[in-house]
């Protein structure tokens, strides 16, 4: 019905805005949305790296909450904003408590909050340990692909550290077409090595699986080396172990001594983020006083501005960007919303009228 206003009619009162919604998405829902979609997620991570490289993101430094009475533990806040078709703001709040493993709990737990870029209102809280592991593994698989171009494709892979992250990385490598003749396994915990070997068999790998008691044997026998440990400082110190010029996914960031990086070609996900918090690249910068040891970012490689050499080890050290968590989290949210499976918390927001 048209409403014609006469000269003595009061203007219509604007409609009150609808109350913002707030959804909680469980780990089961996250797993359901992501399972079996390794190729799509790797493509999403690549697109996010390109957006970040083009400046269509805000990714401030991560904030580390540490505890004097629990020096091995930390909780990290990763605020970020990403544009493009994802177009969302938010923050990941993720803890790392290595002592959890002793009691059978995973080391990491976390949540991801998504905020509406128009109003700033948070509209979803997602279980984030799976999202974090997924974006880490997808980033690793993407780097393995791009950094092996122009080099012999790795036929053998070695996993140094055999926890949840290692499992996700193997899943993403397998899910994006990688196959290996041999898979090496090494961990300071024999139980962890045995558990990971069991996972590999259950996953249906046709590769020969070998558990290495020696870290040196693992590295020397692997064309692709994956570091996924909880190391707080370098524990691999001999560059001679890498003279066969492997591709190294240095996911845990603090395993390698500066001497090894200085003898290698080095690529990171983001220079400013990676050269902080006493990561191995940060230690190299502190020692040399410069960043000349860096060959570029993964985005530089994707754009053709940098290329991995064939005559040196190639190391990828990703700090892990909050924009990647946002991209994967928004993907999960959209999947749940599209399937009609959002669990909305009624009346989560209260007192929405400015003057009551």
């Amino acid at each position: 019905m048209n409403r014609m206003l006469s000269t003595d009619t009061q203007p219509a009162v604007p409609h009150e805005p609808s109350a913002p919604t707030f959804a909680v998405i469980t780990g089961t829902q996250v797993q359901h949305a992501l399972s079996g979609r390794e190729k799509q997620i790797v493509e999403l991570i690549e697109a996010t790296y390109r957006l970040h490289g083009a400046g269509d993101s805000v990714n401030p430094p991560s904030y580390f909450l540490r505890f004097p009475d629990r020096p091995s533990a930390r909780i990290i806040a990763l605020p970020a904003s990403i544009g493009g078709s994802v177009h969302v703001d938010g923050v990941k709040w993720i803890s790392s408590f290595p002592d959890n493993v002793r009691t059978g709990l995973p080391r990491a737990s976390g949540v991801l909050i998504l905020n509406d870029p128009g109003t700033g209102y948070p509209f979803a809280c997602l279980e984030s340990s799976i999202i974090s592991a997924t974006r880490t593994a997808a980033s690793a698989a993407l780097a393995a692909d791009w950094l092996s171009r122009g080099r012999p494709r790795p036929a053998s892979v070695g996993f140094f550290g055999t926890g949840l992250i290692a499992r996700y990385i193997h899943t993403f490598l397998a899910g994006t077409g990688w196959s290996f003749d041999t898979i090496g396994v090494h961990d300071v915990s024999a139980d962890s090595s045995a558990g990971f070997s069991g996972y590999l068999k259950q996953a249906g790998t046709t590769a020969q699986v070998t558990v290495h008691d020696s870290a040196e044997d693992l590295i020397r026998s692997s064309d692709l080396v994956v570091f996924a440990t909880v190391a707080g400082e370098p524990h691999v110190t001999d560059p001679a172990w890498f003279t066969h010029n492997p591709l190294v996914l240095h996911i845990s960031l603090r395993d390698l001594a500066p001497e090894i990086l200085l003898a290698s070609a080095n690529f990171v996900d983001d220079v400013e983020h990676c050269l902080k918090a006493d990561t191995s690249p940060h230690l190299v910068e502190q020692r040399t006083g410069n960043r000349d040891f860096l060959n570029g970012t993964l985005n530089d490689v994707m754009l053709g501005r940098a290329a991995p050499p064939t005559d040196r080890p190639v190391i990828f050290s990703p700090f892990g960007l909050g924009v990647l968590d946002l991209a994967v989290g928004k993907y999960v949210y959209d999947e749940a919303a599209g399937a009609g499976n959002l669990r909305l918390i009624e009346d989560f927001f209260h007192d929405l009228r400015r003057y009551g």
Side-chain angles (χ1 to χ4, degrees), residues 5 49 51 128 219 288:
L5 294 178
Y49 272 133
L51 282 172
S128 190
I219 294 169
T288 63

Side-chain angles (χ1 to χ4, degrees), residues 82-208:
I82 186 72
S85 60
V86 180
H87 198 213
V88 70
D89 310 328
V91 62
K92 179 172 74 170
W93 179 242
I94 187 162
S95 66
S96 174
F97 279 54
D99 287 347
N100 284 353
V101 177
R102 299 176 186 173
T103 61
L105 280 176
R107 171 187 61 85
S109 61
V111 294
L112 177 69
I113 301 294
L114 301 180
N115 292 74
D116 184 289
T119 66
Y121 271 80
F123 62 87
C125 175
L126 300 86
E127 196 284 331
S128 190
S129 66
I130 296 171
I131 290 172
S132 186
T134 294
R135 64 86 152 146
T136 299
S139 170
L142 181 69
D145 177 26
W146 278 97
L147 293 175
S148 64
R149 299 183 186 188
R151 294 165 54 94
R153 185 85 162 178
S156 57
V157 61
F159 288 90
F160 196 138
T162 56
L164 180 140
I165 296 299
R167 173 163 61 87
Y168 270 75
I169 290 174
H170 175 267
T171 298
F172 267 79
L173 288 172
T176 52
W178 286 80
S179 61
F180 302 97
D181 298 330
T182 62
I183 299 177
V185 176
H186 175 74
D187 198 290
V188 295
S189 165
D191 289 342
S192 295
S193 292
F196 188 68
S197 299
Y199 150 74
L200 292 172
K201 294 175 183 178
Q202 290 178 356
T205 182
T206 58
Q208 177 183 340

Side-chain angles (χ1 to χ4, degrees), residues 247-267:
L247 171 58
V248 179
L249 302 178
H250 187 208
I251 306 304
S252 35
L253 280 177
R254 296 173 176 84
D255 303 273
L256 303 178
E259 291 83 1
I260 294 172
L261 273 68
L262 287 169
S264 306
N266 294 279
F267 297 88

Side-chain angles (χ1 to χ4, degrees), residues 178-244:
W178 286 80
S179 61
F180 302 97
D181 298 330
T182 62
I183 299 177
V185 176
H186 175 74
D187 198 290
V188 295
S189 165
D191 289 342
S192 295
S193 292
F196 188 68
S197 299
Y199 150 74
L200 292 172
K201 294 175 183 178
Q202 290 178 356
T205 182
T206 58
Q208 177 183 340
V209 178
T210 301
V211 176
H212 294 274
D213 295 329
S214 162
E216 179 180 359
D217 290 344
L218 175 89
I219 294 169
R220 286 187 181 275
S221 62
S222 302
D223 303 323
L224 174 64
V225 184
V226 179
F227 284 92
T229 74
V230 294
E233 59 186 20
H235 55 97
V236 176
T237 61
D238 191 346
W241 294 4
F242 299 83
T243 52
H244 58 300

